[in-house]
Amino acid sequence: MNRIGKKLGVQTFALASPPVIIATGTVVGPFEGKNAYHDDYDMIAPDLSLGQSSFELAEKEMMTNACQKAMQKAKRSEKDIDLFIAGDLLNQLITSGYSASYIGLPFFGVYGACSTSMASLGLASLLIDGGFIGTALTATSSHNATAERQYRYPTEYGNQKRPYAQWTVTGAGAALITTEGKGPRVTHVTVGKVTDLGTADPLNLGAAMAPAAVASILQHFADTKRTPEDYDLIVTGDLGNFGAALFQRWLKETGGIDLGARYFDCGAEIYDRKKFPKVQSGGSGCGCSAVVVFGHLFKEMIHGRYRRILVAATGALHSPTSVLQKQTIPCIAHAIAFEFP
Amino acid sequence: MNRIGKKLGVQTFALASPPVIIATGTVVGPFEGKNAYHDDYDMIAPDLSLGQSSFELAEKEMMTNACQKAMQKAKRSEKDIDLFIAGDLLNQLITSGYSASYIGLPFFGVYGACSTSMASLGLASLLIDGGFIGTALTATSSHNATAERQYRYPTEYGNQKRPYAQWTVTGAGAALITTEGKGPRVTHVTVGKVTDLGTADPLNLGAAMAPAAVASILQHFADTKRTPEDYDLIVTGDLGNFGAALFQRWLKETGGIDLGARYFDCGAEIYDRKKFPKVQSGGSGCGCSAVVVFGHLFKEMIHGRYRRILVAATGALHSPTSVLQKQTIPCIAHAIAFEFP
């Protein structure tokens, strides 16, 4: 093996021997199970507690279940895997820490808020292509009840939300990535820079994150000398309906690019917003892009609908403390190009 | 260049062309400036606020100052650096997120609590040796006032602490790591597994973390077929006086190894515990191992006192929520072998 990766342009890494995602595992909550792509998920939890005594433990249960599903589908066990890379929204990445304890693999915790699905997969891809590891397991999750009480208000208050607010997805996604096999391959990883245009409203995260998605996608095209036409689908993580509209407008204004029917936002698509108006602008949370990309879009690739997709998962890196201190919201987007076959 | 890293044994990565830390930057608070190694730090802040309106912004100021010091000392600017990898103790890694926004480099956030100094440096080393990047900047920080109010009680309460409690270090450390130059080289990275022996007292973190340090150090020896005699110093991050004693006892009981005078714990050594009994068992926090290793120990290596050291930075991955929910404390230790010249 003589695999030497390389950096293209400013922020993109091109993989010499693109690693392959041989299996994914996705677990969602009961509400997500009543919405789009419900046939594409591996497990739909009957309730938000998953038999646990707290929502936090339920989220850990979802993440470990997603990991086990991915391993089962690929007929691999922990002993076949070199490294676990995971992250989530909860303070001190508690879901990932407890999951890593349960799974028992060497572990790196990563935090990129809702960009974690692509941050963890990107890092795993680079470590595999660098020759250090053969197989990695990556995972991320979010849970509506744990996120609401950490970031916003006790759900018992019944706070009303504005139309641009988003609904945190209850879901976990895991990916098993290795050197050889059948599945979508990671060909390029564009690592995001933090973008902060001064937005400070934590209930309007789509608007905060959209500029980060624009920046990373334009940089991906500049670094790789590719154009939107090189992709069958260009995906953002969880901008939601409002954020996705802003994203498209800014991409046109700053980059002169109209993605048209090639564009897809996981947050805008995961829920049936007409049937369930409580989701307002759509889905958000680390689990959003994880379950839609790993559950739905990879299936579409394997079934031949898309050959090449670019996924820019966006994250808002604020904390409840930074919001109380009236700081702006730093955002990031990590983009990965996937190819199948 | 034909650099192919490889995995040794179960958890250790051996670097084919060991990357070199060409400069570090360390910033500490006024109290740390009155203790051991005060001559080794690049900057001692005159007060805990660093001219900022909140302690959280002060912590960000420390981290960005540490990064700038490292860049100045190496005569490098942001344009010479490919990637910024950072993490801290605050919820959602807010210090690192704002620092990444200020520094403007492609960014991965990592969380390993007080193991973050070695987690970030380990990941950077692997990405450099894999050929993807030429130069990375890594950073971590902790601040006594931000950590106390997030993890424990408002400092105004004046809570008393037990003898095994530790004092969160106000400090930030940054390292600039690249392919060529003068400085300590990273030869091996042992990625930790989560170890949880059931400890649940968040004021006795030394006891919680000691087993993780034992596990990673024994695994490092097993993977590399090295012995303690191969190192001039074997360092743990922030076990404190009590934790370091437990660590030595467990290492002897489970591994039959007595480190003797070769052993050094940053938490036990950073403060003059006799002069300042308020620190109880010693220092802790992400900044502890960062400023002692980057500030003091690397200087000792460059001055010829140590040729080869092994640093196992330990982290307790609990959150205030997990403590309230009476969960145990999952811990981890990432170990790096450094060599100079």
Side-chain angles (χ1 to χ4, degrees):
Chain A
M1 278 191 307
N2 190 352
R3 300 177 307 189
I4 310 284
K6 66 175 174 177
K7 191 177 162 199
L8 292 182
V10 183
Q11 289 170 237
T12 302
F13 300 112
L15 303 179
S17 303
V20 54
I21 295 144
I22 53 167
T24 59
T26 48
V27 179
V28 297
F31 178 56
E32 287 70 22
K34 288 182 198 143
N35 275 276
Y37 320 133
H38 55 88
D39 284 340
D40 294 336
Y41 305 132
D42 293 309
M43 198 187 296
I44 296 171
D47 57 43
L48 284 180
S49 73
L50 285 90
Q52 302 295 312
S53 58
S54 73
F55 293 131
E56 286 73 16
L57 290 176
E59 186 173 341
K60 183 207 85 170
E61 195 69 11
M62 283 203 307
M63 186 185 273
T64 54
N65 284 344
C67 291
Q68 286 167 328
K69 275 282 164 197
M71 290 190 277
Q72 282 164 13
K73 284 159 74 179
K75 297 190 177 58
R76 306 275 176 120
S77 74
E78 287 82 353
K79 69 174 175 10
D80 305 312
I81 304 171
D82 298 298
L83 193 62
F84 180 51
I85 304 180
D88 59 277
L89 286 175
L90 295 191
N91 296 341
Q92 288 73 52
L93 309 190
I94 197 70
T95 309
S96 305
Y98 285 118
S99 296
S101 180
Y102 181 82
I103 289 168
L105 287 169
F107 167 59
F108 280 126
V110 294
Y111 183 73
C114 312
S115 72
T116 301
S117 59
M118 296 301 126
S120 53
L121 200 52
L123 270 174
S125 306
L126 296 175
L127 295 177
I128 290 171
D129 198 40
F132 292 101
I133 58 174
T135 306
L137 179 66
T138 73
T140 189
S141 68
S142 51
H143 189 297
N144 188 275
T146 65
E148 280 298 311
R149 66 180 172 190
Q150 175 179 288
Y151 278 103
R152 294 172 193 112
Y153 300 96
T155 47
E156 292 83 351
Y157 286 13
N159 270 54
Q160 290 191 306
K161 290 183 176 171
R162 296 197 174 156
Y164 46 65
Q166 292 166 251
W167 186 266
T168 303
V169 168
T170 300
L176 197 57
I177 178 162
T178 186
T179 50
E180 296 296 334
K182 198 189 163 196
R185 286 183 179 271
V186 171
T187 62
H188 298 81
V189 178
T190 300
V191 182
K193 289 182 179 179
V194 172
T195 304
D196 185 346
L197 296 193
T199 301
D201 179 357
L203 294 172
N204 191 359
L205 294 177
M209 299 191 295
V214 170
S216 291
I217 286 174
L218 289 179
Q219 194 63 51
H220 176 86
F221 291 142
D223 288 346
T224 57
K225 304 199 191 330
R226 286 184 172 180
T227 65
E229 288 68 38
D230 288 312
Y231 292 97
D232 300 313
L233 201 69
I234 290 170
V235 180
T236 49
D238 58 344
L239 299 179
N241 200 40
F242 273 69
L246 284 172
F247 164 81
Q248 288 172 285
R249 186 173 143 192
W250 286 334
L251 193 68
K252 210 165 178 175
E253 285 180 6
T254 62
I257 291 174
D258 185 355
L259 295 179
R262 271 197 184 81
Y263 178 55
F264 178 101
D265 179 66
C266 304
E269 302 297 335
I270 188 171
Y271 295 124
D272 181 342
R273 281 176 288 120
K274 280 190 186 141
K275 194 168 155 198
F276 300 108
K278 71 169 183 179
V279 304
Q280 304 283 12
S281 186
S284 69
C286 297
C288 181
S289 62
V291 302
V292 174
V293 175
F294 298 169
H296 174 65
L297 292 177
F298 281 179
K299 253 182 209 169
E300 295 281 84
M301 291 185 87
I302 290 164
H303 292 160
R305 181 155 173 211
Y306 308 120
R307 200 181 84 79
R308 203 191 257 175
I309 70 173
L310 178 66
V311 179
T314 48
L317 306 176
H318 67 297
S319 78
T321 306
S322 74
V323 169
L324 289 172
Q325 293 179 349
K326 301 190 191 308
Q327 299 299 306
T328 55
I329 299 174
C331 294
I332 200 162
H334 298 297
I336 293 187
F338 297 99
E339 215 167 284
F340 183 88
Chain B
M1 279 193 307
N2 190 350
R3 301 177 307 189
I4 310 284
K6 67 174 172 178
K7 192 178 162 198
L8 293 181
V10 183
Q11 289 170 239
T12 302
F13 301 111
L15 303 179
S17 303
V20 54
I21 294 144
I22 53 168
T24 59
T26 49
V27 179
V28 297
F31 178 55
E32 287 70 22
K34 287 182 198 145
N35 274 278
Y37 319 131
H38 55 87
D39 284 340
D40 294 336
Y41 304 132
D42 293 310
M43 197 187 296
I44 296 171
D47 57 43
L48 285 180
S49 73
L50 285 91
Q52 302 295 311
S53 58
S54 73
F55 293 132
E56 285 73 16
L57 290 177
E59 187 172 340
K60 183 206 86 172
E61 194 69 11
M62 283 203 308
M63 186 185 274
T64 53
N65 284 343
C67 290
Q68 286 167 329
K69 274 283 164 195
M71 289 191 276
Q72 282 164 13
K73 284 159 75 178
K75 296 190 176 62
R76 306 274 176 121
S77 72
E78 286 82 353
K79 70 175 176 6
D80 305 312
I81 304 171
D82 298 299
L83 193 63
F84 180 51
I85 304 181
D88 59 276
L89 286 175
L90 296 190
N91 297 341
Q92 288 72 53
L93 309 191
I94 196 71
T95 309
S96 305
Y98 284 118
S99 295
S101 180
Y102 181 82
I103 289 167
L105 287 168
F107 167 61
F108 279 126
V110 293
Y111 183 73
C114 312
S115 73
T116 301
S117 59
M118 295 302 125
S120 53
L121 201 51
L123 270 175
S125 305
L126 296 175
L127 294 178
I128 290 171
D129 198 41
F132 292 102
I133 58 174
T135 306
L137 180 66
T138 73
T140 188
S141 67
S142 52
H143 189 297
N144 188 275
T146 64
E148 281 297 313
R149 67 180 172 191
Q150 175 180 288
Y151 278 102
R152 295 173 192 114
Y153 300 97
T155 48
E156 292 83 351
Y157 286 13
N159 270 55
Q160 288 190 307
K161 289 183 176 171
R162 297 197 174 156
Y164 46 65
Q166 292 167 252
W167 186 266
T168 304
V169 167
T170 300
L176 198 57
I177 179 162
T178 185
T179 50
E180 296 295 334
K182 198 188 162 195
R185 284 183 180 273
V186 172
T187 62
H188 298 81
V189 178
T190 300
V191 182
K193 288 183 180 180
V194 172
T195 304
D196 185 345
L197 297 193
T199 301
D201 179 357
L203 294 173
N204 191 0
L205 293 178
M209 297 191 295
V214 170
S216 291
I217 286 174
L218 289 180
Q219 194 63 52
H220 177 85
F221 291 143
D223 288 346
T224 58
K225 304 198 193 326
R226 286 184 172 181
T227 66
E229 289 67 39
D230 289 312
Y231 292 97
D232 300 313
L233 203 67
I234 290 170
V235 180
T236 49
D238 58 344
L239 299 180
N241 200 40
F242 274 69
L246 284 173
F247 163 81
Q248 289 172 284
R249 188 175 141 190
W250 286 334
L251 193 67
K252 210 165 178 175
E253 285 179 7
T254 62
I257 291 174
D258 184 357
L259 294 179
R262 271 197 185 80
Y263 178 54
F264 178 102
D265 179 66
C266 303
E269 303 295 337
I270 187 170
Y271 295 123
D272 182 342
R273 281 177 287 120
K274 282 190 183 138
K275 195 168 154 196
F276 300 108
K278 71 169 182 179
V279 304
Q280 303 283 13
S281 185
S284 69
C286 297
C288 181
S289 63
V291 301
V292 174
V293 175
F294 298 169
H296 174 63
L297 292 177
F298 281 178
K299 251 180 211 171
E300 295 281 84
M301 292 186 88
I302 290 164
H303 292 158
R305 182 157 172 210
Y306 308 120
R307 201 182 83 79
R308 204 191 256 175
I309 70 173
L310 178 67
V311 179
T314 47
L317 305 176
H318 67 298
S319 78
T321 305
S322 74
V323 170
L324 289 172
Q325 294 180 348
K326 302 192 191 306
Q327 299 298 307
T328 56
I329 300 174
C331 294
I332 200 162
H334 299 296
I336 293 187
F338 297 99
E339 215 168 285
F340 182 87

